[in-house]
């Protein structure tokens, strides 16, 4: 081995090569007992059209590949869809009989095909070569088919995601624009409240899996941060509680699922408890804690970048996780001092759906609980006024 090769550390190798996105596939077959088995790979690739060859690269230490190879001379490639991250994580986890939790059917060659994949490819082993600590498995294609016209699951910088075409992005932009038009009827109300309190008053709307600032009025004389207008924040516990569980919104289970499969039972229980508390009292609050406003601002700005990487998104979620216990405190004691980050109340459409959240931020430090509650009352009164303005709009501009 050359000196150059020895100098490439494992972490550096993973970091650099992880900047190249790959598709996610599952290599499947039947073991010697006829049970479905499979392994998740990010190394599947096409090799040749004449003859038709594909390849994947399992680790030499993979017991699943050893079982696949010993049991049969054939296998199938399953190309996972963008909405099958859960299946991917299930099959990538340790344990036996993982296919018991996955719906599948047999391919023409008798290999397991996971229901809902983008495509499948039946193969026979053409060759198995050694490549460092991996095998290079060449598969001779015998049959193939498209199962579903949808985007594939991608792996990039240790995170999963999907490919978004221009029209998909534009659809999200259209939804954001519709919410902004709805918020425009409340422009005078949020300007008036922001001016009265010398703070920032904003309207936040749920758009897909994010909450987006669609109207902002900032009258804090000490504010030197850029406007939050257009900033996106993920609807991930403990964030976005006012939008969860309503019509046309994320369900509680979908919201909890965004914690990921590594979330501890304690974290899940805390998230459900916070959501229940907000739904019961009808308002949302967050304390600032030890994370400075500038640090949080940088993290939010990073998340709002449409070209953000999974690593940047993890940085944002890590910042939020450090504040988990500061979101939705049980009580705001009127006799104590509080450093507030946000205070929000729902704004509903005539049908009861939560269309917007009316939010106060840029608070003075060390506010008494009594003053915070007076701000909450002003916020709730303004929300009622905005609801009346929305109800007075023509029906097509409300929906």
């Amino acid at each position: 081995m050359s000196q150059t090769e020895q100098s490439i550390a494992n972490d550096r190798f993973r970091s650099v090569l992880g900047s190249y996105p790959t598709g996610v596939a599952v290599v499947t077959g039947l073991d010697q007992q006829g049970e479905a088995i499979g392994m998740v790979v990010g190394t599947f690739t096409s090799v040749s059209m004449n003859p038709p060859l594909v390849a994947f690269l399992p680790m030499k230490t993979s017991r699943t590949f050893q079982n696949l190879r010993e049991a049969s001379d054939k296998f199938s490639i399953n190309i996972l869809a963008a909405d099958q991250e859960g299946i991917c994580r299930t099959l990538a986890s340790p344990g036996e009989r993982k296919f018991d939790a996955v719906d599948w059917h047999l391919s023409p060659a008798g290999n397991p095909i996971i229901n809902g994949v983008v495509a499948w490819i039946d193969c026979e082993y053409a060759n198995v070569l050694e490549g460092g600590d991996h095998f290079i498995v060449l598969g001779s294609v015998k049959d193939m088919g498209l199962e579903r016209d949808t985007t594939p699951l991608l792996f990039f910088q240790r995170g999963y995601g999907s490919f978004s075409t221009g029209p998909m992005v534009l659809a999200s932009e259209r939804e954001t624009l519709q919410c902004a038009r709805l918020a425009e009827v409340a422009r005078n109300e949020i300007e008036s409240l922001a001016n009265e309190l010398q703070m920032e008053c904003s309207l936040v709307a749920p758009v897909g899996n994010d909450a987006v600032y669609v109207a902002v009025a900032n009258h804090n004389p000490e504010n030197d941060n850029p406007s939050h207008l257009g900033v996106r924040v993920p609807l991930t516990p403990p964030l976005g509680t006012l939008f969860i569980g309503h019509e046309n919104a994320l369900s509680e289970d979908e919201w909890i699922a965004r914690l990921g499969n590594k979330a501890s039972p304690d974290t899940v229980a805390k998230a459900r408890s916070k959501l229940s508390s907000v739904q019961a009292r009808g308002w949302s609050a967050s304390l600032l804690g030890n994370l400075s406003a500038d640090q949080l601002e940088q993290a939010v700005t990073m998340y709002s970048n449409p070209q953000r990487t999974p690593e940047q998104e993890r940085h944002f979620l890590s910042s939020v996780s450090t504040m988990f216990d500061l979101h939705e405190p049980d009580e705001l004691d009127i006799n104590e001092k509080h450093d507030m980050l946000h205070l929000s109340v729902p704004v509903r459409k005539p049908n009861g759906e939560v269309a917007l959240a009316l939010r106060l931020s840029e608070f003075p430090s060390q506010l008494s609980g009594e003053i915070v509650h007076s701000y909450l009352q002003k916020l709730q009164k303004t929300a009622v006024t905005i609801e009346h303005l929305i109800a007075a709009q023509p029906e097509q501009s409300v929906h």
Side-chain angles (χ1 to χ4, degrees), residues 264-281:
S264 68
D266 181 59
T267 299
V268 171
K270 281 184 178 180
R272 293 191 186 278
S273 175
K274 290 176 185 296
L275 178 62
S276 177
S277 175
V278 170
Q279 291 173 336
R281 70 192 183 197

Side-chain angles (χ1 to χ4, degrees), residues 254-266:
E254 289 172 327
W255 184 66
I256 292 294
R258 301 202 73 204
L259 284 168
N261 64 348
K262 294 184 180 180
S264 68
D266 181 59

Side-chain angles (χ1 to χ4, degrees), residues 167-177 207-208 210 212 232:
M168 291 182 184
V169 175
L170 289 176
S172 174
E173 291 175 350
R174 284 195 296 269
E175 188 177 355
T176 302
L177 183 59
V207 178
D210 292 340
V212 183
R232 307 177 78 91

Side-chain angles (χ1 to χ4, degrees), residues 236-239 291 296 315-324 327:
T236 299
L239 307 178
L291 191 65
L296 189 62
H315 175 74
F316 171 82
L317 295 176
S318 175
S319 298
V320 171
S321 69
T322 64
M323 301 178 63
F324 203 97
H327 284 272

Side-chain angles (χ1 to χ4, degrees), residues 122-195:
D122 269 337
C123 301
E124 291 181 358
Y125 289 95
N127 205 346
V128 179
L129 309 170
E130 291 192 1
D133 55 3
H134 283 64
F135 288 118
I136 302 170
V137 181
L138 290 176
S140 176
V141 177
K142 300 304 177 183
D143 202 355
M144 61 199 318
L146 291 170
E147 287 281 297
R148 188 154 61 112
D149 184 15
T150 188
T151 55
L153 184 64
L154 300 180
F155 188 75
F156 176 59
Q157 290 187 349
R158 297 182 293 124
Y160 293 101
S162 63
F163 174 78
S164 294
T165 62
M168 291 182 184
V169 175
L170 289 176
S172 174
E173 291 175 350
R174 284 195 296 269
E175 188 177 355
T176 302
L177 183 59
Q178 290 171 355
C179 293
R181 287 172 177 166
L182 183 63
E184 191 59 31
V185 304
R187 169 59 61 185
N188 290 340
E189 301 304 318
I190 66 172
E191 286 283 356
S192 177
L193 186 58
N195 185 52

